[in-house]
Amino acid sequence: MKFGKEFRIHLEETLPEWRDKYLSYKPLKKLLKNIPVPAADNLPPEGSLPELHEWFVGILNEELEKFNDFYVDKEEDFVIRFQALKERIERVKLRGNNDGMFTSETEFSEEMMEIRKDFVAIHGEMILLKHYSSLNFAGLIKILKKYDKRTGELLSLPFTQLAVHQPFFTTEPLTRLVRECEANLEDLFPSEAEVVESTSVEQNQAGTTHADISNPPPKTTLSLGDETIDIYRSTLAAIRAIQGLKKASSTYNPMSLSYIFGNQDTESTGAVTAENSPSDSFTALHKGDDANEDVHSPK
């Protein structure tokens, strides 16, 4: 499946409030189609290429700002919510250890059920944010390659090197938060199977269809509730999109999606990180200090 179609399907299946936070992939493709192709002598009109370069880089910088703002806000929200959940667990444990604090075993079970739902929800959102990082980075690479092909420029290398140092691409703190959340879930609810586990689910869901994602098991629906199920569906859809991207590229080079996702750490929850990014390989292929000229980081 082509990247554009995979990306569109993911947007349709992700949380509605997240959709406008993703890369404007289709509009950017349309913009590129309106860029005039260089003449046969490869010499565009004087002054036109620098202006085009500056204009297009400005648009991409706005996209980076959008990614960064959303990613940082969500990550901060996760930290606050996760800490509140841990404190809530401690209060419930304290109440459970004091006779008479809970009116019945049912009250205790209901309280724990609500906590579990909140844990599953935040965990699913964390995984979804990891894949948000990966999908947007992959989309950027696709757009940059199309720009280079259309104009004959070499914007991919310097802009990718800029992108890998952006907050939305620095996913290591989020990865640690995901692992801590999973450890809490395993400790508190070891027999429950509704959690979207960050490592095993990518293997188990490789053959999942869109129908499977849209119709989770009835037991899961009943136990987690509609709001959490929406997160569950969106998370599985994101994982499926990443699986599709791993298979989509027929080439294997530092600018291919198969290379990017193939180089990920097996312990990763899906996002490309600064540690496993292809930026070093880009540098090896395109040496020269002048590569970073005319590329300006978002303010």
Side-chain angles (χ1 to χ4, degrees), residues 219-251:
K219 178 182 177 182
T220 302
T221 305
L222 290 172
S223 61
L224 295 183
D226 291 341
E227 183 177 353
T228 307
I229 284 299
D230 287 341
I231 298 170
Y232 183 93
R233 288 196 187 103
S234 299
T235 305
L236 293 184
I239 292 171
R240 187 178 183 279
I242 293 295
Q243 289 289 336
L245 293 177
K246 288 179 180 179
K247 301 174 182 178
S249 180
S250 59
T251 58

Short mmCIF file of all heavy atoms in Angstrom, two decimals, residues 219-251:
data_model
loop_
_atom_site.label_atom_id
_atom_site.label_comp_id
_atom_site.label_asym_id
_atom_site.label_seq_id
_atom_site.Cartn_x
_atom_site.Cartn_y
_atom_site.Cartn_z
N LYS A 219 -15.83 -8.55 25.08
CA LYS A 219 -15.36 -8.52 26.47
C LYS A 219 -14.54 -7.25 26.72
O LYS A 219 -14.65 -6.60 27.76
CB LYS A 219 -14.52 -9.76 26.77
CG LYS A 219 -13.96 -9.77 28.19
CD LYS A 219 -13.10 -11.00 28.42
CE LYS A 219 -12.48 -10.97 29.81
NZ LYS A 219 -11.60 -12.13 30.05
N THR A 220 -13.68 -6.89 25.75
CA THR A 220 -12.87 -5.70 25.89
C THR A 220 -13.74 -4.45 25.93
O THR A 220 -13.53 -3.56 26.74
CB THR A 220 -11.88 -5.59 24.71
OG1 THR A 220 -11.07 -6.77 24.68
CG2 THR A 220 -10.99 -4.37 24.85
N THR A 221 -14.74 -4.39 25.06
CA THR A 221 -15.63 -3.24 25.00
C THR A 221 -16.37 -3.04 26.31
O THR A 221 -16.47 -1.92 26.83
CB THR A 221 -16.65 -3.41 23.86
OG1 THR A 221 -15.95 -3.64 22.64
CG2 THR A 221 -17.54 -2.19 23.72
N LEU A 222 -16.88 -4.12 26.87
CA LEU A 222 -17.64 -4.03 28.11
C LEU A 222 -16.78 -3.61 29.28
O LEU A 222 -17.21 -2.85 30.15
CB LEU A 222 -18.31 -5.38 28.40
CG LEU A 222 -19.46 -5.78 27.45
CD1 LEU A 222 -19.89 -7.21 27.74
CD2 LEU A 222 -20.64 -4.81 27.58
N SER A 223 -15.53 -4.11 29.33
CA SER A 223 -14.70 -3.86 30.50
C SER A 223 -14.01 -2.51 30.48
O SER A 223 -13.71 -1.95 31.53
CB SER A 223 -13.64 -4.96 30.65
OG SER A 223 -12.79 -4.98 29.52
N LEU A 224 -13.76 -1.96 29.30
CA LEU A 224 -13.01 -0.72 29.22
C LEU A 224 -13.87 0.51 28.98
O LEU A 224 -13.47 1.61 29.33
CB LEU A 224 -11.96 -0.82 28.10
CG LEU A 224 -10.86 -1.86 28.31
CD1 LEU A 224 -9.87 -1.79 27.16
CD2 LEU A 224 -10.15 -1.65 29.64
N GLY A 225 -15.01 0.38 28.37
CA GLY A 225 -15.84 1.54 28.10
C GLY A 225 -15.54 2.15 26.75
O GLY A 225 -14.48 1.97 26.18
N ASP A 226 -16.49 2.94 26.24
CA ASP A 226 -16.40 3.47 24.88
C ASP A 226 -15.20 4.39 24.68
O ASP A 226 -14.52 4.32 23.66
CB ASP A 226 -17.69 4.23 24.53
CG ASP A 226 -18.88 3.29 24.40
OD1 ASP A 226 -18.65 2.08 24.21
OD2 ASP A 226 -20.03 3.77 24.49
N GLU A 227 -14.95 5.30 25.63
CA GLU A 227 -13.87 6.26 25.45
C GLU A 227 -12.52 5.57 25.35
O GLU A 227 -11.69 5.89 24.50
CB GLU A 227 -13.86 7.27 26.60
CG GLU A 227 -12.81 8.35 26.44
CD GLU A 227 -12.86 9.37 27.56
OE1 GLU A 227 -13.81 9.31 28.39
OE2 GLU A 227 -11.97 10.22 27.61
N THR A 228 -12.28 4.60 26.23
CA THR A 228 -11.02 3.88 26.20
C THR A 228 -10.91 3.02 24.96
O THR A 228 -9.82 2.86 24.40
CB THR A 228 -10.87 3.01 27.47
OG1 THR A 228 -11.09 3.84 28.62
CG2 THR A 228 -9.50 2.39 27.56
N ILE A 229 -12.03 2.47 24.49
CA ILE A 229 -12.03 1.66 23.29
C ILE A 229 -11.64 2.49 22.08
O ILE A 229 -10.95 2.02 21.17
CB ILE A 229 -13.40 0.98 23.07
CG1 ILE A 229 -13.54 -0.19 24.04
CG2 ILE A 229 -13.55 0.48 21.65
CD1 ILE A 229 -12.49 -1.27 23.86
N ASP A 230 -12.05 3.76 22.03
CA ASP A 230 -11.65 4.64 20.93
C ASP A 230 -10.13 4.78 20.90
O ASP A 230 -9.52 4.78 19.83
CB ASP A 230 -12.30 6.02 21.10
CG ASP A 230 -13.79 6.00 20.79
OD1 ASP A 230 -14.24 5.05 20.12
OD2 ASP A 230 -14.49 6.94 21.22
N ILE A 231 -9.53 4.93 22.07
CA ILE A 231 -8.07 5.00 22.15
C ILE A 231 -7.45 3.68 21.72
O ILE A 231 -6.46 3.65 20.99
CB ILE A 231 -7.63 5.36 23.59
CG1 ILE A 231 -8.17 6.75 23.96
CG2 ILE A 231 -6.11 5.32 23.73
CD1 ILE A 231 -8.00 7.09 25.42
N TYR A 232 -8.05 2.58 22.17
CA TYR A 232 -7.59 1.24 21.82
C TYR A 232 -7.56 1.06 20.30
O TYR A 232 -6.57 0.61 19.73
CB TYR A 232 -8.54 0.24 22.48
CG TYR A 232 -8.20 -1.23 22.31
CD1 TYR A 232 -7.43 -1.88 23.27
CD2 TYR A 232 -8.69 -1.95 21.24
CE1 TYR A 232 -7.15 -3.24 23.14
CE2 TYR A 232 -8.41 -3.31 21.10
CZ TYR A 232 -7.65 -3.95 22.05
OH TYR A 232 -7.37 -5.29 21.92
N ARG A 233 -8.66 1.43 19.63
CA ARG A 233 -8.75 1.29 18.18
C ARG A 233 -7.69 2.16 17.49
O ARG A 233 -7.03 1.72 16.55
CB ARG A 233 -10.14 1.72 17.69
CG ARG A 233 -11.27 0.76 18.01
CD ARG A 233 -12.48 1.10 17.15
NE ARG A 233 -13.64 0.31 17.54
CZ ARG A 233 -14.65 0.76 18.26
NH1 ARG A 233 -14.62 2.00 18.71
NH2 ARG A 233 -15.67 -0.01 18.54
N SER A 234 -7.56 3.40 17.94
CA SER A 234 -6.61 4.32 17.32
C SER A 234 -5.18 3.84 17.48
O SER A 234 -4.36 3.97 16.56
CB SER A 234 -6.77 5.72 17.93
OG SER A 234 -8.06 6.23 17.72
N THR A 235 -4.88 3.29 18.64
CA THR A 235 -3.53 2.79 18.89
C THR A 235 -3.21 1.61 17.98
O THR A 235 -2.13 1.54 17.37
CB THR A 235 -3.37 2.37 20.36
OG1 THR A 235 -3.72 3.48 21.19
CG2 THR A 235 -1.94 1.96 20.66
N LEU A 236 -4.13 0.67 17.87
CA LEU A 236 -3.91 -0.47 16.99
C LEU A 236 -3.80 -0.02 15.53
O LEU A 236 -3.01 -0.58 14.76
CB LEU A 236 -5.05 -1.48 17.13
CG LEU A 236 -5.16 -2.20 18.48
CD1 LEU A 236 -6.26 -3.25 18.43
CD2 LEU A 236 -3.84 -2.87 18.85
N ALA A 237 -4.57 0.98 15.15
CA ALA A 237 -4.49 1.50 13.78
C ALA A 237 -3.11 2.10 13.51
O ALA A 237 -2.55 1.92 12.43
CB ALA A 237 -5.58 2.54 13.56
N ALA A 238 -2.57 2.82 14.49
CA ALA A 238 -1.24 3.41 14.33
C ALA A 238 -0.18 2.33 14.20
O ALA A 238 0.73 2.42 13.37
CB ALA A 238 -0.93 4.32 15.53
N ILE A 239 -0.29 1.29 15.03
CA ILE A 239 0.66 0.19 14.96
C ILE A 239 0.58 -0.50 13.61
O ILE A 239 1.60 -0.84 13.00
CB ILE A 239 0.40 -0.81 16.11
CG1 ILE A 239 0.76 -0.16 17.45
CG2 ILE A 239 1.21 -2.10 15.91
CD1 ILE A 239 0.34 -0.95 18.65
N ARG A 240 -0.64 -0.69 13.12
CA ARG A 240 -0.81 -1.32 11.82
C ARG A 240 -0.20 -0.46 10.70
O ARG A 240 0.39 -0.97 9.76
CB ARG A 240 -2.30 -1.56 11.54
CG ARG A 240 -2.55 -2.36 10.28
CD ARG A 240 -4.04 -2.60 10.09
NE ARG A 240 -4.28 -3.44 8.93
CZ ARG A 240 -4.29 -2.98 7.67
NH1 ARG A 240 -4.08 -1.70 7.45
NH2 ARG A 240 -4.52 -3.79 6.66
N ALA A 241 -0.34 0.86 10.82
CA ALA A 241 0.23 1.76 9.82
C ALA A 241 1.75 1.63 9.79
O ALA A 241 2.36 1.60 8.72
CB ALA A 241 -0.18 3.20 10.12
N ILE A 242 2.37 1.55 10.97
CA ILE A 242 3.82 1.40 11.03
C ILE A 242 4.24 0.07 10.41
O ILE A 242 5.22 -0.01 9.66
CB ILE A 242 4.33 1.47 12.50
CG1 ILE A 242 4.12 2.89 13.05
CG2 ILE A 242 5.79 1.07 12.58
CD1 ILE A 242 4.94 3.95 12.36
N GLN A 243 3.49 -0.98 10.68
CA GLN A 243 3.78 -2.28 10.07
C GLN A 243 3.71 -2.18 8.56
O GLN A 243 4.54 -2.74 7.84
CB GLN A 243 2.78 -3.33 10.58
CG GLN A 243 2.97 -3.75 12.02
CD GLN A 243 4.23 -4.59 12.23
OE1 GLN A 243 4.71 -5.21 11.30
NE2 GLN A 243 4.75 -4.58 13.44
N GLY A 244 2.72 -1.45 8.05
CA GLY A 244 2.59 -1.29 6.61
C GLY A 244 3.76 -0.53 6.02
O GLY A 244 4.24 -0.85 4.94
N LEU A 245 4.24 0.50 6.74
CA LEU A 245 5.36 1.28 6.25
C LEU A 245 6.65 0.48 6.21
O LEU A 245 7.50 0.69 5.35
CB LEU A 245 5.55 2.52 7.13
CG LEU A 245 4.43 3.56 7.07
CD1 LEU A 245 4.72 4.69 8.04
CD2 LEU A 245 4.27 4.10 5.66
N LYS A 246 6.80 -0.45 7.15
CA LYS A 246 8.00 -1.29 7.16
C LYS A 246 8.08 -2.13 5.89
O LYS A 246 9.16 -2.45 5.41
CB LYS A 246 7.99 -2.20 8.39
CG LYS A 246 8.27 -1.47 9.69
CD LYS A 246 8.22 -2.45 10.86
CE LYS A 246 8.48 -1.75 12.18
NZ LYS A 246 8.43 -2.67 13.33
N LYS A 247 6.91 -2.50 5.35
CA LYS A 247 6.87 -3.37 4.18
C LYS A 247 6.76 -2.58 2.88
O LYS A 247 6.97 -3.13 1.81
CB LYS A 247 5.68 -4.32 4.28
CG LYS A 247 5.70 -5.21 5.50
CD LYS A 247 4.41 -6.02 5.59
CE LYS A 247 4.37 -6.89 6.85
NZ LYS A 247 3.11 -7.63 6.96
N ALA A 248 6.42 -1.30 2.98
CA ALA A 248 6.04 -0.55 1.79
C ALA A 248 7.21 -0.21 0.87
O ALA A 248 7.04 -0.16 -0.34
CB ALA A 248 5.33 0.74 2.20
N SER A 249 8.37 0.05 1.45
CA SER A 249 9.48 0.51 0.64
C SER A 249 10.18 -0.65 -0.04
O SER A 249 10.56 -1.63 0.58
CB SER A 249 10.48 1.28 1.51
OG SER A 249 11.57 1.72 0.73
N SER A 250 10.37 -0.52 -1.36
CA SER A 250 11.03 -1.58 -2.12
C SER A 250 12.53 -1.41 -2.13
O SER A 250 13.27 -2.30 -2.55
CB SER A 250 10.51 -1.58 -3.56
OG SER A 250 10.76 -0.32 -4.17
N THR A 251 13.01 -0.25 -1.68
CA THR A 251 14.45 0.00 -1.65
C THR A 251 14.94 -0.07 -0.21
O THR A 251 14.18 0.01 0.73
CB THR A 251 14.76 1.38 -2.23
OG1 THR A 251 14.06 2.38 -1.47
CG2 THR A 251 14.35 1.45 -3.69
#
